[in-house]
Coordinates of all heavy atoms in Angstrom, one line a residue:
M1117 N 71.7 35.0 -70.2 CA 71.3 35.5 -68.9 C 69.9 35.3 -68.7 O 69.4 35.1 -67.5 CB 71.7 36.9 -68.8 CG 71.5 37.5 -67.5 SD 72.7 36.8 -66.5 CE 72.5 37.7 -65.0
I1118 N 69.0 35.3 -69.6 CA 67.6 35.0 -69.5 C 67.3 33.6 -69.1 O 66.3 33.3 -68.5 CB 66.9 35.4 -70.8 CG1 65.3 35.5 -70.6 CG2 67.1 34.5 -71.9 CD1 64.9 36.6 -69.9
W1119 N 68.2 32.7 -69.4 CA 68.0 31.3 -69.1 C 68.1 31.0 -67.6 O 67.4 30.1 -67.1 CB 68.9 30.4 -69.9 CG 70.3 30.6 -69.7 CD1 71.1 31.6 -70.3 CD2 71.2 30.1 -68.5 NE1 72.4 31.6 -69.8 CE2 72.4 30.7 -68.7 CE3 71.0 29.1 -67.7 CZ2 73.6 30.3 -68.0 CZ3 72.1 28.9 -66.9 CH2 73.3 29.4 -66.9
V1120 N 68.8 31.8 -67.0 CA 68.9 31.8 -65.5 C 67.4 32.1 -64.8 O 67.0 31.4 -63.9 CB 69.9 32.7 -64.8 CG1 69.9 32.8 -63.3 CG2 71.4 32.3 -65.3
F1121 N 66.8 33.1 -65.4 CA 65.5 33.5 -64.9 C 64.5 32.3 -65.1 O 63.7 32.0 -64.3 CB 65.0 34.7 -65.6 CG 63.7 35.1 -65.3 CD1 63.2 35.7 -64.1 CD2 62.6 34.9 -66.2 CE1 62.0 36.0 -63.8 CE2 61.3 35.2 -66.0 CZ 61.0 35.8 -64.7
F1122 N 64.5 31.7 -66.3 CA 63.5 30.7 -66.6 C 63.9 29.4 -65.8 O 63.0 28.8 -65.3 CB 63.7 30.2 -68.1 CG 63.1 31.2 -69.0 CD1 63.8 31.7 -70.2 CD2 61.8 31.7 -68.8 CE1 63.2 32.7 -70.9 CE2 61.2 32.7 -69.6 CZ 62.0 33.2 -70.7
I1123 N 65.1 29.1 -65.5 CA 65.5 28.0 -64.6 C 64.9 28.3 -63.1 O 64.4 27.4 -62.4 CB 67.0 27.7 -64.6 CG1 67.4 27.2 -66.0 CG2 67.4 26.8 -63.5 CD1 68.9 27.0 -66.1
A1124 N 65.1 29.6 -62.8 CA 64.7 29.9 -61.4 C 63.1 29.8 -61.3 O 62.6 29.3 -60.3 CB 65.1 31.2 -61.0
V1125 N 62.4 30.2 -62.3 CA 61.0 30.1 -62.3 C 60.5 28.7 -62.4 O 59.7 28.2 -61.7 CB 60.4 30.9 -63.5 CG1 58.9 30.6 -63.7 CG2 60.4 32.4 -63.4
A1126 N 61.3 27.9 -63.2 CA 60.9 26.4 -63.2 C 61.2 25.8 -61.9 O 60.4 24.9 -61.4 CB 61.7 25.7 -64.2
V1127 N 62.2 26.0 -61.2 CA 62.5 25.5 -59.8 C 61.4 25.9 -58.8 O 61.0 25.0 -58.1 CB 63.9 26.0 -59.4 CG1 64.0 25.5 -57.9 CG2 65.0 25.2 -60.2
V1128 N 61.0 27.1 -58.9 CA 59.9 27.6 -58.0 C 58.6 26.9 -58.3 O 57.9 26.4 -57.4 CB 59.7 29.0 -58.1 CG1 58.5 29.5 -57.4 CG2 61.0 29.9 -57.4
L1129 N 58.2 26.7 -59.6 CA 57.0 26.0 -60.0 C 57.1 24.6 -59.5 O 56.1 24.0 -58.9 CB 56.8 26.1 -61.5 CG 56.3 27.4 -61.9 CD1 56.2 27.5 -63.4 CD2 54.9 27.8 -61.3
V1130 N 58.1 23.9 -59.8 CA 58.3 22.5 -59.4 C 58.2 22.3 -57.8 O 57.5 21.4 -57.2 CB 59.6 21.9 -59.9 CG1 59.8 20.6 -59.3 CG2 59.6 21.8 -61.4
A1131 N 58.9 23.3 -57.1 CA 58.8 23.2 -55.6 C 57.4 23.4 -55.1 O 57.0 22.8 -54.2 CB 59.9 24.1 -55.0
G1132 N 56.7 24.4 -55.7 CA 55.4 24.7 -55.3 C 54.5 23.5 -55.6 O 53.5 23.1 -54.7
F1133 N 54.6 22.8 -56.8 CA 53.6 21.6 -56.9 C 54.0 20.4 -56.0 O 53.0 19.7 -55.6 CB 53.8 21.2 -58.5 CG 53.0 22.0 -59.4 CD1 53.5 22.8 -60.4 CD2 51.6 22.3 -59.2 CE1 52.8 23.5 -61.3 CE2 51.0 23.0 -60.0 CZ 51.5 23.7 -61.1
A1134 N 55.2 20.4 -55.7 CA 55.7 19.2 -54.9 C 55.2 19.5 -53.5 O 54.7 18.6 -52.7 CB 57.3 19.2 -54.8
A1135 N 55.1 20.8 -53.2 CA 54.8 21.1 -51.6 C 53.1 20.9 -51.6 O 52.5 20.4 -50.7 CB 54.9 22.6 -51.3
L1136 N 52.5 21.2 -52.8 CA 51.0 21.0 -52.9 C 50.7 19.6 -52.8 O 49.7 19.2 -52.1 CB 50.5 21.7 -54.2 CG 49.0 21.7 -54.3 CD1 48.3 22.6 -53.2 CD2 48.7 22.2 -55.6
I1137 N 51.3 18.7 -53.6 CA 51.1 17.3 -53.5 C 51.5 16.7 -52.2 O 50.8 15.8 -51.7 CB 51.9 16.7 -54.6 CG1 51.3 17.2 -56.1 CG2 51.9 15.2 -54.7 CD1 52.1 16.8 -57.3
A1138 N 52.5 17.1 -51.6 CA 52.8 16.5 -50.4 C 52.1 17.0 -49.2 O 52.1 16.5 -48.1 CB 54.4 16.9 -50.0
G1139 N 51.3 17.9 -49.3 CA 50.3 18.4 -48.3 C 50.8 19.4 -47.5 O 50.4 19.8 -46.5
R1140 N 52.0 20.0 -47.9 CA 52.6 21.1 -47.1 C 52.0 22.4 -47.2 O 52.1 23.3 -46.4 CB 54.2 21.2 -47.4 CG 54.9 20.0 -47.3 CD 55.6 19.9 -46.0 NE 56.5 18.8 -45.9 CZ 56.8 18.3 -44.8 NH1 56.4 18.8 -43.6 NH2 57.6 17.1 -44.7
V1141 N 51.4 22.6 -48.3 CA 50.6 23.9 -48.7 C 49.2 23.6 -48.8 O 48.8 22.5 -49.4 CB 51.1 24.3 -50.1 CG1 50.4 25.6 -50.4 CG2 52.6 24.7 -50.0
G1142 N 48.2 24.3 -48.1 CA 46.9 24.0 -48.2 C 46.3 24.8 -49.5 O 46.8 25.7 -49.9
Y1143 N 45.3 24.1 -49.8 CA 44.6 24.6 -51.1 C 43.0 24.6 -50.8 O 42.4 23.4 -50.4 CB 45.0 23.8 -52.3 CG 44.2 24.2 -53.4 CD1 44.2 25.4 -54.1 CD2 43.2 23.2 -54.1 CE1 43.6 25.8 -55.2 CE2 42.6 23.7 -55.2 CZ 42.8 24.8 -55.8 OH 42.1 25.3 -56.9
D1144 N 42.3 25.6 -50.9 CA 40.9 25.6 -50.6 C 40.2 26.2 -51.9 O 40.1 27.3 -52.1 CB 40.6 26.6 -49.4 CG 39.1 26.6 -49.1 OD1 38.4 25.6 -49.5 OD2 38.7 27.5 -48.3
P1145 N 39.7 25.2 -52.7 CA 39.1 25.8 -53.9 C 37.8 26.3 -53.8 O 37.4 27.1 -54.7 CB 38.9 24.4 -54.8 CG 38.8 23.4 -53.7 CD 39.8 23.8 -52.6
L1146 N 37.1 26.1 -52.7 CA 35.8 26.7 -52.4 C 35.9 27.6 -51.2 O 35.3 27.1 -50.1 CB 34.7 25.6 -52.4 CG 34.5 24.8 -53.6 CD1 33.5 23.8 -53.3 CD2 34.0 25.7 -54.8
A1147 N 36.3 28.8 -51.3 CA 36.4 29.6 -50.1 C 34.9 30.0 -49.8 O 34.0 30.0 -50.7 CB 37.2 30.9 -50.6
E1148 N 34.6 30.6 -48.7 CA 33.3 31.0 -48.2 C 32.8 32.0 -49.2 O 33.5 33.1 -49.4 CB 33.5 31.5 -46.8 CG 32.0 31.8 -46.2 CD 31.3 30.7 -46.0 OE1 31.8 29.5 -45.8 OE2 29.9 30.8 -46.0
A1149 N 31.7 32.0 -49.7 CA 31.1 32.8 -50.6 C 30.6 34.1 -49.8 O 30.1 34.0 -48.6 CB 29.9 32.2 -51.3
P1150 N 30.7 35.2 -50.5 CA 30.2 36.4 -49.8 C 28.7 36.4 -49.8 O 28.0 35.9 -50.7 CB 30.8 37.6 -50.8 CG 31.0 37.0 -52.1 CD 31.3 35.4 -51.8
T1151 N 28.2 37.1 -48.8 CA 26.7 37.2 -48.7 C 26.3 38.5 -48.9 O 26.9 39.6 -48.5 CB 26.3 36.6 -47.3 OG1 24.8 36.6 -47.3 CG2 26.9 37.4 -46.3
T1152 N 25.1 38.7 -49.5 CA 24.5 40.1 -49.6 C 23.3 40.2 -48.8 O 22.8 41.4 -48.7 CB 24.0 40.2 -51.1 OG1 23.0 39.2 -51.5 CG2 25.1 40.1 -52.1
Q1153 N 22.8 39.2 -48.0 CA 21.8 39.4 -47.2 C 22.2 38.8 -45.8 O 22.9 37.6 -45.8 CB 20.5 38.9 -47.7 CG 20.5 37.5 -48.2 CD 19.3 37.1 -48.8 OE1 18.3 37.7 -48.7 NE2 19.2 36.0 -49.6
H1154 N 21.9 39.1 -44.7 CA 22.2 38.7 -43.5 C 21.4 37.4 -43.1 O 22.0 36.5 -42.4 CB 21.9 39.7 -42.3 CG 20.6 40.0 -41.9 ND1 19.9 40.8 -43.0 CD2 19.7 39.7 -41.0 CE1 18.6 40.9 -42.3 NE2 18.6 40.3 -41.2
D1155 N 20.1 37.3 -43.4 CA 19.4 36.1 -43.1 C 18.4 35.8 -44.2 O 17.6 36.7 -44.5 CB 18.7 36.3 -41.8 CG 18.2 35.0 -41.2 OD1 18.4 34.1 -41.6 OD2 17.3 35.2 -40.2
A1156 N 18.3 34.7 -44.8 CA 17.3 34.3 -45.8 C 16.1 33.4 -45.1 O 15.4 33.0 -45.9 CB 18.0 33.4 -46.8
A1157 N 16.0 33.5 -43.8 CA 15.0 32.7 -43.1 C 13.6 33.3 -43.3 O 13.5 34.5 -43.6 CB 15.3 32.4 -41.7
L1158 N 12.7 32.5 -43.1 CA 11.3 32.9 -43.2 C 10.8 33.5 -41.9 O 11.3 33.1 -40.8 CB 10.3 31.7 -43.5 CG 10.7 31.1 -45.0 CD1 9.9 29.9 -45.1 CD2 10.3 32.1 -46.1
P1159 N 9.8 34.4 -41.8 CA 9.3 34.8 -40.6 C 8.4 33.7 -39.8 O 8.1 32.7 -40.4 CB 8.3 36.0 -41.0 CG 8.0 35.7 -42.4 CD 9.2 35.0 -43.0
E1160 N 8.4 33.9 -38.5 CA 7.6 32.9 -37.6 C 6.3 32.8 -38.1 O 5.7 31.6 -38.1 CB 7.8 33.4 -36.2 CG 9.1 33.1 -35.5 CD 9.4 31.6 -35.4 OE1 8.3 30.8 -35.1 OE2 10.5 31.2 -35.7
E1161 N 5.6 33.8 -38.3 CA 4.3 33.7 -38.8 C 4.2 33.7 -40.4 O 4.3 34.7 -41.0 CB 3.4 35.0 -38.5 CG 1.9 35.0 -38.7 CD 1.2 33.8 -37.8 OE1 1.6 33.6 -36.7 OE2 0.3 33.3 -38.4
L1162 N 4.3 32.4 -40.9 CA 4.4 32.2 -42.2 C 3.2 32.2 -43.1 O 2.1 31.8 -42.7 CB 4.9 30.7 -42.3 CG 5.4 30.2 -43.7 CD1 6.5 31.1 -44.2 CD2 5.8 28.7 -43.6
H1163 N 3.3 32.9 -44.2 CA 2.2 33.0 -45.2 C 2.7 32.5 -46.6 O 4.0 32.4 -46.7 CB 1.7 34.4 -45.2 CG 1.1 35.0 -44.1 ND1 1.8 35.1 -42.9 CD2 -0.1 35.5 -43.9 CE1 1.0 35.6 -42.1 NE2 -0.2 35.8 -42.5
A1164 N 1.9 32.2 -47.4 CA 2.3 31.7 -48.8 C 3.2 32.7 -49.6 O 4.2 32.2 -50.3 CB 1.1 31.3 -49.6
Q1165 N 3.0 33.9 -49.4 CA 3.8 34.9 -50.1 C 5.2 35.0 -49.5 O 6.0 35.4 -50.3 CB 3.1 36.3 -50.1 CG 3.7 37.3 -51.0 CD 3.7 37.0 -52.5 OE1 2.8 36.4 -53.0 NE2 4.8 37.4 -53.1
D1166 N 5.2 34.7 -48.3 CA 6.7 34.7 -47.8 C 7.6 33.7 -48.4 O 8.8 34.0 -48.6 CB 6.6 34.4 -46.2 CG 5.9 35.5 -45.5 OD1 6.0 36.8 -45.8 OD2 5.2 35.2 -44.4
V1167 N 7.1 32.5 -48.7 CA 7.7 31.6 -49.4 C 8.2 32.0 -50.9 O 9.3 31.9 -51.3 CB 7.1 30.3 -49.5 CG1 7.8 29.2 -50.3 CG2 6.7 29.7 -48.1
A1168 N 7.3 32.7 -51.6 CA 7.6 33.3 -52.8 C 8.6 34.4 -52.8 O 9.3 34.5 -53.8 CB 6.2 33.7 -53.5
D1169 N 8.7 35.1 -51.7 CA 9.6 36.3 -51.7 C 11.0 35.9 -51.3 O 11.9 36.7 -51.1 CB 9.0 37.3 -50.6 CG 7.8 37.9 -51.2 OD1 7.6 37.8 -52.4 OD2 7.0 38.5 -50.3
V1170 N 11.3 34.6 -50.9 CA 12.6 34.1 -50.4 C 13.6 34.2 -51.6 O 13.3 33.7 -52.8 CB 12.6 32.8 -49.9 CG1 14.0 32.3 -49.6 CG2 11.7 32.6 -48.5
H1171 N 14.7 34.8 -51.4 CA 15.8 34.8 -52.3 C 17.1 34.4 -51.8 O 17.4 34.8 -50.5 CB 16.0 36.2 -53.0 CG 14.7 36.7 -53.7 ND1 14.3 36.1 -54.8 CD2 13.9 37.7 -53.5 CE1 13.2 36.8 -55.2 NE2 12.9 37.7 -54.4
F1172 N 17.9 33.6 -52.4 CA 19.1 33.2 -51.9 C 20.3 33.8 -52.6 O 20.3 34.0 -53.8 CB 19.2 31.6 -52.0 CG 18.1 30.9 -51.3 CD1 17.1 30.4 -51.9 CD2 18.1 30.8 -49.8 CE1 16.0 29.6 -51.3 CE2 17.0 30.1 -49.2 CZ 16.1 29.5 -49.9
D1173 N 21.4 33.9 -52.0 CA 22.7 34.3 -52.6 C 23.2 33.1 -53.6 O 22.9 32.0 -53.2 CB 23.7 34.5 -51.7 CG 23.5 35.8 -50.9 OD1 22.7 36.6 -51.3 OD2 23.9 35.9 -49.6
T1174 N 23.6 33.6 -54.7 CA 24.2 32.5 -55.6 C 25.6 32.3 -55.2 O 26.4 33.2 -54.7 CB 24.2 33.1 -57.1 OG1 24.9 34.2 -57.2 CG2 22.7 33.2 -57.6
A1175 N 26.0 31.0 -55.5 CA 27.4 30.6 -55.2 C 28.0 29.9 -56.4 O 27.3 29.9 -57.5 CB 27.4 29.7 -53.9
L1176 N 29.1 29.3 -56.2 CA 29.8 28.7 -57.4 C 28.9 27.6 -58.1 O 28.8 27.6 -59.3 CB 31.0 28.1 -56.9 CG 31.9 27.5 -58.0 CD1 32.3 28.4 -59.1 CD2 33.1 26.8 -57.5
R1177 N 28.3 26.8 -57.3 CA 27.5 25.6 -58.0 C 25.9 25.9 -57.8 O 25.2 24.9 -57.7 CB 27.9 24.4 -57.3 CG 29.3 24.1 -57.5 CD 29.7 22.7 -57.1 NE 31.1 22.4 -57.3 CZ 31.9 22.0 -56.6 NH1 31.5 21.4 -55.4 NH2 33.1 21.6 -56.8
G1178 N 25.5 27.0 -57.7 CA 24.2 27.3 -57.5 C 23.7 28.2 -56.4 O 24.2 29.4 -56.4
Y1179 N 23.0 27.9 -55.3 CA 22.8 28.8 -54.2 C 23.4 28.2 -53.1 O 24.0 27.2 -52.8 CB 21.2 28.6 -54.0 CG 20.3 29.2 -55.1 CD1 19.7 28.4 -55.9 CD2 20.3 30.5 -55.2 CE1 18.9 28.9 -57.0 CE2 19.5 31.2 -56.3 CZ 18.8 30.2 -57.2 OH 18.0 30.8 -58.1
R1180 N 23.5 29.3 -52.0 CA 24.2 29.0 -50.8 C 23.4 27.9 -50.1 O 22.3 28.1 -49.7 CB 24.3 30.1 -50.0 CG 25.1 31.4 -50.6 CD 26.5 31.4 -50.1 NE 26.7 31.1 -48.8 CZ 26.9 32.0 -47.7 NH1 26.8 33.3 -48.1 NH2 27.0 31.8 -46.5
M1181 N 24.1 26.7 -49.9 CA 23.4 25.6 -49.2 C 22.9 25.9 -47.7 O 21.9 25.4 -47.4 CB 24.4 24.4 -49.3 CG 24.4 23.8 -50.7 SD 25.1 22.2 -50.8 CE 26.8 22.3 -50.0
D1182 N 23.7 26.7 -47.1 CA 23.4 26.9 -45.7 C 22.1 27.8 -45.6 O 21.2 27.5 -44.7 CB 24.5 27.7 -45.0 CG 24.9 29.0 -45.6 OD1 24.7 29.2 -46.9 OD2 25.5 29.9 -44.8
Q1183 N 21.8 28.6 -46.5 CA 20.6 29.5 -46.5 C 19.6 28.5 -47.0 O 18.4 28.6 -46.3 CB 20.8 30.6 -47.5 CG 21.7 31.7 -47.1 CD 21.9 32.8 -48.0 OE1 21.5 32.7 -49.1 NE2 22.4 34.0 -47.7
V1184 N 19.7 27.7 -48.0 CA 18.7 26.9 -48.6 C 18.2 25.9 -47.5 O 16.9 25.7 -47.1 CB 19.1 26.2 -49.7 CG1 18.0 25.2 -50.2 CG2 19.2 27.1 -51.0
D1185 N 19.2 25.3 -46.8 CA 19.0 24.3 -45.7 C 18.2 24.9 -44.6 O 17.2 24.3 -44.0 CB 20.2 23.7 -45.2 CG 20.9 22.8 -46.2 OD1 20.2 22.3 -47.1 OD2 22.0 22.4 -46.0
A1186 N 18.5 26.1 -44.2 CA 17.7 26.8 -43.1 C 16.4 27.0 -43.4 O 15.5 26.8 -42.6 CB 18.5 28.1 -42.7
V1187 N 16.0 27.5 -44.6 CA 14.7 27.7 -45.0 C 13.9 26.4 -45.1 O 12.7 26.3 -44.7 CB 14.6 28.5 -46.3 CG1 13.1 28.6 -46.9 CG2 15.1 29.9 -46.0
L1188 N 14.5 25.4 -45.6 CA 13.8 24.1 -45.7 C 13.6 23.5 -44.4 O 12.5 22.9 -44.1 CB 14.7 23.1 -46.6 CG 14.8 23.4 -48.1 CD1 15.7 22.5 -48.8 CD2 13.4 23.4 -48.6
D1189 N 14.5 23.6 -43.5 CA 14.3 23.2 -42.1 C 13.1 23.9 -41.5 O 12.2 23.2 -40.8 CB 15.5 23.4 -41.3 CG 16.7 22.4 -41.7 OD1 16.4 21.5 -42.3 OD2 17.8 22.7 -41.3
Q1190 N 13.0 25.2 -41.7 CA 11.9 26.0 -41.2 C 10.6 25.5 -41.7 O 9.5 25.4 -41.1 CB 12.2 27.5 -41.3 CG 11.3 28.4 -40.6 CD 11.7 29.8 -40.8 OE1 12.5 30.1 -41.5 NE2 10.9 30.6 -40.1
L1191 N 10.5 25.3 -43.0 CA 9.3 24.9 -43.7 C 8.9 23.5 -43.2 O 7.7 23.2 -43.1 CB 9.5 24.8 -45.2 CG 9.5 26.3 -46.0 CD1 9.8 26.1 -47.4 CD2 8.2 26.9 -45.9
Q1192 N 9.9 22.6 -43.0 CA 9.6 21.3 -42.6 C 9.0 21.3 -41.2 O 8.0 20.6 -40.9 CB 10.9 20.4 -42.5 CG 10.6 19.0 -42.0 CD 11.9 18.3 -42.0 OE1 13.0 18.8 -42.0 NE2 11.9 16.9 -42.0
R1193 N 9.5 22.2 -40.3 CA 8.9 22.2 -38.9 C 7.5 22.8 -39.0 O 6.6 22.3 -38.4 CB 9.8 23.2 -38.1 CG 11.0 22.4 -37.5 CD 11.7 23.4 -36.4 NE 12.1 24.7 -37.0 CZ 13.2 25.1 -37.5 NH1 14.2 24.2 -37.7 NH2 13.4 26.3 -38.0
R1194 N 7.2 23.7 -39.7 CA 5.8 24.4 -39.9 C 4.9 23.4 -40.5 O 3.9 23.2 -40.1 CB 5.9 25.6 -40.9 CG 4.7 26.4 -41.0 CD 4.2 26.9 -39.7 NE 2.9 27.6 -40.1 CZ 2.0 27.6 -39.2 NH1 1.9 27.1 -38.1 NH2 0.8 28.2 -39.6
I1195 N 5.4 22.6 -41.5 CA 4.4 21.5 -42.1 C 4.2 20.5 -41.1 O 3.0 19.9 -40.9 CB 5.1 21.0 -43.4 CG1 5.1 21.9 -44.5 CG2 4.4 19.7 -43.7 CD1 5.9 21.5 -45.7
A1196 N 5.2 20.0 -40.3 CA 5.0 19.2 -39.2 C 4.1 19.6 -38.2 O 3.2 18.9 -37.6 CB 6.4 18.8 -38.5
E1197 N 4.1 20.9 -37.8 CA 3.1 21.6 -36.9 C 1.6 21.5 -37.4 O 0.7 21.1 -36.8 CB 3.5 23.0 -36.6 CG 4.7 23.2 -35.8 CD 5.2 24.7 -35.7 OE1 4.3 25.5 -36.2 OE2 6.1 25.0 -35.1
L1198 N 1.6 21.8 -38.7 CA 0.2 21.7 -39.4 C -0.3 20.4 -39.5 O -1.5 20.2 -39.2 CB 0.3 22.4 -40.8 CG 0.5 23.9 -40.8 CD1 0.8 24.4 -42.2 CD2 -0.5 24.6 -40.1
E1199 N 0.5 19.4 -39.9 CA 0.1 18.1 -39.9 C -0.2 17.4 -38.5 O -1.3 16.8 -38.3 CB 1.1 17.1 -40.4 CG 1.4 17.3 -41.9 CD 2.5 16.5 -42.4 OE1 3.3 15.9 -41.7 OE2 2.5 16.3 -43.7
A1200 N 0.5 17.9 -37.4 CA 0.1 17.5 -36.1 C -1.2 18.0 -35.6 O -2.0 17.4 -34.9 CB 1.2 17.8 -35.2
G1201 N -1.5 19.4 -35.9 CA -2.6 20.0 -35.6 C -3.9 19.6 -36.4 O -5.0 19.6 -35.8
H1202 N -3.7 19.2 -37.6 CA -4.9 19.0 -38.5 C -4.9 17.5 -39.1 O -5.8 17.3 -39.8 CB -4.9 19.9 -39.6 CG -5.2 21.3 -39.2 ND1 -6.3 21.8 -38.6 CD2 -4.3 22.5 -39.1 CE1 -6.3 23.0 -38.4 NE2 -5.1 23.4 -38.7
G1203 N -4.0 16.8 -38.7 CA -3.9 15.4 -39.4 C -3.4 15.4 -40.8 O -3.4 16.5 -41.4
A1204 N -2.9 14.3 -41.2 CA -2.3 14.3 -42.6 C -3.3 14.5 -43.6 O -2.9 15.0 -44.7 CB -1.7 13.1 -42.8
D1205 N -4.6 14.3 -43.5 CA -5.7 14.5 -44.5 C -6.3 15.9 -44.4 O -7.1 16.2 -45.2 CB -6.8 13.5 -44.4 CG -7.5 13.6 -43.0 OD1 -7.1 14.4 -42.1 OD2 -8.5 12.8 -42.7
G1206 N -5.7 16.9 -43.6 CA -6.4 18.2 -43.6 C -7.4 18.4 -42.7 O -7.9 19.5 -42.6
Q1207 N -8.1 17.4 -42.1 CA -9.1 17.6 -41.1 C -8.6 17.6 -39.7 O -7.7 17.0 -39.3 CB -10.1 16.4 -41.3 CG -10.7 16.3 -42.6 CD -11.7 15.1 -42.8 OE1 -11.6 14.3 -41.8 NE2 -12.5 15.0 -43.8
A1208 N -9.3 18.4 -38.9 CA -8.8 18.4 -37.4 C -9.3 17.1 -36.9 O -10.2 16.4 -37.2 CB -9.7 19.5 -36.8
P1209 N -8.3 16.6 -35.9 CA -8.7 15.3 -35.2 C -9.9 15.5 -34.3 O -10.2 16.5 -33.8 CB -7.4 15.2 -34.3 CG -6.8 16.5 -34.1 CD -7.2 17.3 -35.4
A1210 N -10.6 14.3 -34.1 CA -11.7 14.3 -33.4 C -11.3 14.5 -31.8 O -10.1 14.4 -31.4 CB -12.3 12.8 -33.5
A1211 N -12.3 14.8 -31.1 CA -12.1 15.2 -29.7 C -11.5 13.9 -28.9 O -10.7 14.3 -27.9 CB -13.4 15.5 -29.0
D1212 N -11.9 12.8 -29.3 CA -11.4 11.6 -28.6 C -10.0 11.2 -29.0 O -9.4 10.1 -28.6 CB -12.3 10.3 -28.7 CG -12.5 10.0 -30.1 OD1 -12.0 10.6 -31.0 OD2 -13.4 9.0 -30.2
G1213 N -9.4 11.8 -30.1 CA -8.1 11.6 -30.5 C -8.0 10.7 -31.6 O -6.9 10.4 -32.3
Q1214 N -9.1 10.2 -32.1 CA -9.2 9.1 -33.2 C -9.5 10.0 -34.5 O -10.2 11.0 -34.4 CB -10.1 8.0 -33.0 CG -9.7 7.1 -31.8 CD -10.7 6.0 -31.6 OE1 -11.6 5.9 -32.4 NE2 -10.6 5.2 -30.5
A1215 N -9.2 9.5 -35.5 CA -9.4 10.1 -36.9 C -10.8 10.1 -37.1 O -11.5 9.0 -36.7 CB -8.6 9.4 -38.0
R1216 N -11.4 11.0 -37.8 CA -12.9 11.1 -38.1 C -13.2 10.3 -39.4 O -12.2 10.2 -40.4 CB -13.1 12.6 -38.4 CG -13.2 13.4 -37.2 CD -13.7 14.8 -37.5 NE -13.6 15.6 -36.4 CZ -13.8 16.9 -36.5 NH1 -14.1 17.6 -37.7 NH2 -13.7 17.7 -35.4
P1217 N -14.2 9.5 -39.5 CA -14.5 8.9 -40.6 C -14.8 9.7 -41.8 O -15.3 10.9 -41.6 CB -15.7 8.0 -40.3 CG -16.3 8.7 -39.1 CD -15.2 9.3 -38.4
E1218 N -14.5 9.4 -42.9 CA -14.8 10.2 -44.2 C -16.2 10.2 -44.6 O -16.8 9.2 -44.4 CB -14.0 9.8 -45.4 CG -12.4 10.0 -45.2 CD -11.7 9.7 -46.4 OE1 -12.3 9.8 -47.6 OE2 -10.5 9.5 -46.5
P1219 N -16.9 11.3 -44.9 CA -18.3 11.2 -45.2 C -18.6 10.4 -46.5 O -17.8 10.5 -47.4 CB -18.7 12.7 -45.4 CG -17.4 13.4 -45.6 CD -16.3 12.6 -44.9
S1220 N -19.6 9.7 -46.5 CA -19.9 8.9 -47.7 C -20.6 9.6 -48.7 O -21.3 10.6 -48.3 CB -20.7 7.7 -47.2 OG -21.8 8.0 -46.6
T1221 N -20.5 9.5 -49.9 CA -21.1 10.2 -51.0 C -22.2 9.5 -51.6 O -22.2 8.3 -51.7 CB -20.1 10.7 -52.1 OG1 -19.4 9.5 -52.5 CG2 -19.2 11.7 -51.5

């Protein structure tokens, strides 16, 4: 009588794998990770300590990519603003819009 149970389990397993292979049953190995914080973004008025204080939720393969991407995008915008305002060399642009010559030593 127990062999009927084993046959029934084997049939269900074979049918389940067949449905999975045929695409009839969906499989999501990486479900949405739970979050412990609502927003990992930096404040608008950015200071060096704000970057040090950022923490991300951990996920299956490291950190939550959406949180890391949001913070990196914000840092990229801020760096671009600083570069546009002060030039790539850290000096403020000249009044006529041309770069200032470097002082000779």
Side-chain angles (χ1 to χ4, degrees):
M1117 190 65 174
I1118 191 79
W1119 58 272
V1120 174
F1121 174 73
F1122 287 128
I1123 291 175
V1125 169
V1127 168
V1128 169
L1129 286 175
V1130 169
F1133 283 124
L1136 185 64
I1137 291 171
R1140 303 264 185 204
V1141 176
Y1143 175 67
D1144 185 12
L1146 295 176
E1148 187 65 28
T1151 182
T1152 59
Q1153 54 187 345
H1154 68 284
D1155 189 14
L1158 297 168
E1160 278 299 317
E1161 190 63 35
L1162 184 62
H1163 296 62
Q1165 188 60 37
D1166 294 330
V1167 177
D1169 291 339
V1170 172
H1171 298 296
F1172 302 106
D1173 291 334
T1174 56
L1176 181 62
R1177 295 185 180 142
Y1179 293 104
R1180 297 267 315 263
M1181 286 194 300
D1182 58 335
Q1183 291 178 343
V1184 175
D1185 289 343
V1187 169
L1188 288 177
D1189 289 342
Q1190 191 174 3
L1191 285 172
Q1192 182 182 17
R1193 284 191 302 272
R1194 180 67 176 139
I1195 290 171
E1197 289 173 6
L1198 291 172
E1199 287 177 347
H1202 295 290
D1205 58 356
Q1207 295 179 350
D1212 59 0
Q1214 296 184 5
R1216 293 183 184 174
E1218 292 188 23
S1220 59
T1221 55

